[in-house]
Amino acid sequence: MDDEMLKDFVVEALELATNVEEHLLTLERHPDDLEILNAVFRAFHTIKGGAGFVNLPAMVSACHLTENLFDALRTGKAPVTPLAIEAALQASGFVADQLNELSNGAAPDSLASMPAELKDILTQAIEGKSEAPAAAAAAPAAAAPVAAAPVAELATSAPAAAIDGSASVMKNGELDWPALYQALVPGAAVAAPAAEAATDTAPAAAPVAAAAAAAPAAAPAADGEPKAAAPAQHNRRASDTAGSAKEESIRIDAGKLDALLEVAGESVQAANQAAVLLEKLQQFKFEGTAAALMSTLAETLGRASRYSSELQRATLSTRMQPVGRLFQKFPRLVRELAKDLGKDVDLVITGADTEVDRVVVDSLYDPLVHMLRNSLDHGIEVDRAAAGKSNKATISLHAWQAGSSVMIEVFDDGKGMDPDMLRNKALAKGLITEHQALTSDEALQLVFLPGFSTKEVASSVSGRGVGMDVVKTAVEKHRGTIRIESTIGKGTKFSIRLPIELSIIPTMLVRCAGAPLALPMAVVERVVELPETFDEVGGAPVLRDQGRPLPVNSLAGVLGYEPGNERVGIVMAVPHPYILGVESVEGTADLVIKPLTAIHTAGITGTARSAEGELVLVVGLSFLLDGCRDMERTAVA
């Protein structure tokens, strides 16, 4: 089997499997939605066709049984019950697991066979709906593995016409997996959509599987009630439209996009540097031909600068993905975990269409899983009635764009967090000293320390003191920040701020002790003049700004430079505002950031080149949000 064809199948099938899971959880709440029933049926139908073509008999068997179940559900032969939903979820999970194994490099013949438990629950779901179709439905279940068995043998001897991209196996420019399956295994019929199957009953020579699939679909038409056929036609048109749209897209290796973005960013930097040089040249007096050439050069450079900026924007847009691609994985996780913990929890998702860099989307899965598990296990009460709350708890997952950042919030209406209890736990474990985490806000942030946990005994869900540490590390790796707000008895909110785009950020350029530095504009409020002398509170300098006394930190001092004459202050827009003293402010710029990988320097997150070509150190966003303190370093010192 062609490796490229197997890879294409895995990518397409994984997308279908993820959508199936989302549909099933929606179906659990709206069991009468015929459109969803049809969509799930078509998804398993398509995956089965592809699985048969690339010789995955276990997947064929699972999809075939699930297809039979949904054929009965969508044609009204059986009602949608919790058992049916559970069986389908287990089947989609089995299919997704096998697809993930293939995606990670496993050989098709190394995959496990379909578990007997899965076959049993699917068979029970089919048989438990009505007595009439039970026998017909059971037959294809037994026949499926047999039909799938000769695929490997036939694939080697199939006519070239079956896989050469001819019209019979192509649909809207994409491989039609069911058609390929039928081309290779003519005897193993793949169930047709209801509208097509309703035109006639299966021929006597067709396998039992085809008869079982066709009979339920034919029944409504025979009764003169085309309700099942009409939605099927509607859905096929929707499917065709989706296929046409899919034709306009193309898959590109992520590494190529990264390389393209880097080139686009460097071209913008080069154009900016050229503009600075031109500005310096124009200070000289040019006459005659030289003046005309300078004018043409200025116009050409301006055009080049516009085009490079447009190239950069277009490249950035190719890397952007909606966070909904990530969020759709969580409803089932919350459902299963809540069930294990004996809690009734509803997950509410909003802002799923908010776009962010694909690297951020990929890296957020583990942090959000830890946060959701934390909310379910620690936050949501077991006995909510005793707390005067409704039995059904709510966890909200909300995303939105805020300037050049994307905000993601996880909020639960649970019992909240007690800062004093957190501080005492951290003290008992030796993670902090008596003089640390004195405020409530600082105490809440202690949950991010390595080794911190409020549980005495670790369970399968939490208690090992690694979860929230992993969250903070993953978020800060992408120059993001995470904060906690909590009210006892009301609930807890985790707020994540991440740059929408990773490699280019708007910054304020400053100078300290002669060194050029860049501060993310996301936390810059305004610039003020610093006096010769300051008032002091507890021995620390303080400046009154707009009626509020704010502590003053020397940027050179906190970064380890020799403090100079700092007469410019930058008011930081952070949860606990303060003023950062610098020697001078030299303007603003969008910089292409190169992360520090070989060394770790407290407070510095990366490097960049200014328009003049000077190397600039970029100060970390989380370092500035924490008041120029390295929380983790301080805690373990």
Side-chain angles (χ1 to χ4, degrees), residues 346-427:
D346 189 22
L347 178 65
V348 178
I349 294 176
T350 52
D353 57 347
T354 304
E355 291 194 329
V356 70
D357 191 289
R358 64 159 191 88
V359 176
V360 174
V361 172
D362 293 340
S363 65
L364 273 179
Y365 178 74
D366 283 342
L368 287 175
V369 166
H370 281 299
M371 292 165 71
L372 290 170
R373 289 166 70 93
N374 191 71
S375 292
L376 280 160
D377 195 25
H378 293 277
I380 304 302
E381 305 93 337
V382 176
D383 185 4
R384 288 175 60 85
K389 299 179 180 180
S390 64
N391 188 50
K392 182 180 282 293
T394 300
I395 296 179
S396 302
L397 188 55
H398 179 40
W400 75 96
Q401 185 176 334
S404 60
S405 301
V406 63
M407 301 293 298
I408 297 176
E409 283 185 356
V410 178
F411 173 77
D412 67 72
D413 62 351
K415 61 186 177 184
M417 299 165 67
D418 184 348
D420 293 333
M421 185 271 286
L422 295 175
R423 188 170 185 276
N424 291 334
K425 280 282 184 183
L427 279 170

Side-chain angles (χ1 to χ4, degrees), residues 242-433:
S244 301
K246 197 172 184 181
E247 201 173 16
E248 297 173 4
S249 64
I250 184 172
R251 290 192 183 93
I252 300 176
D253 183 78
K256 293 179 180 178
L257 282 181
D258 293 342
L260 180 60
L261 179 61
E262 185 167 348
V263 170
E266 294 294 352
S267 71
V268 170
Q269 290 293 87
N272 291 342
Q273 194 168 350
V276 171
L277 293 172
L278 179 65
E279 190 177 341
K280 291 180 178 178
L281 273 175
Q282 287 175 331
Q283 294 174 2
F284 298 95
K285 186 173 179 64
F286 293 92
E287 296 179 353
T289 305
L293 284 172
M294 283 297 297
S295 176
T296 304
L297 178 62
E299 191 274 331
T300 304
L301 279 177
R303 193 167 66 250
S305 180
R306 287 196 302 275
Y307 287 151
S308 62
S309 296
E310 288 175 14
L311 172 63
Q312 186 185 58
R313 281 195 295 271
T315 308
L316 286 175
S317 68
T318 64
R319 291 169 50 101
M320 304 301 280
Q321 291 183 342
V323 293
R325 172 176 163 268
L326 174 69
F327 286 2
Q328 67 184 1
K329 300 177 182 179
F330 296 131
R332 185 178 180 189
L333 181 144
V334 170
R335 175 186 181 273
E336 299 293 339
L337 191 54
K339 187 176 172 185
D340 291 344
L341 294 171
K343 298 178 181 180
D344 188 4
V345 182
D346 189 22
L347 178 65
V348 178
I349 294 176
T350 52
D353 57 347
T354 304
E355 291 194 329
V356 70
D357 191 289
R358 64 159 191 88
V359 176
V360 174
V361 172
D362 293 340
S363 65
L364 273 179
Y365 178 74
D366 283 342
L368 287 175
V369 166
H370 281 299
M371 292 165 71
L372 290 170
R373 289 166 70 93
N374 191 71
S375 292
L376 280 160
D377 195 25
H378 293 277
I380 304 302
E381 305 93 337
V382 176
D383 185 4
R384 288 175 60 85
K389 299 179 180 180
S390 64
N391 188 50
K392 182 180 282 293
T394 300
I395 296 179
S396 302
L397 188 55
H398 179 40
W400 75 96
Q401 185 176 334
S404 60
S405 301
V406 63
M407 301 293 298
I408 297 176
E409 283 185 356
V410 178
F411 173 77
D412 67 72
D413 62 351
K415 61 186 177 184
M417 299 165 67
D418 184 348
D420 293 333
M421 185 271 286
L422 295 175
R423 188 170 185 276
N424 291 334
K425 280 282 184 183
L427 279 170
K429 289 178 177 286
L431 298 174
I432 61 171
T433 68

Side-chain angles (χ1 to χ4, degrees), residues 61 63 71 80 86-87 97 113 136 190 208-209 216 246-247 253 376 407 414 420 437 524 536 633 635:
S61 301
C63 289
D71 192 44
V80 178
E86 184 62 35
D97 287 345
S113 57
V190 179
V208 181
K246 197 172 184 181
E247 201 173 16
D253 183 78
L376 280 160
M407 301 293 298
D420 293 333
V524 173
E536 291 189 357
R633 182 171 58 95

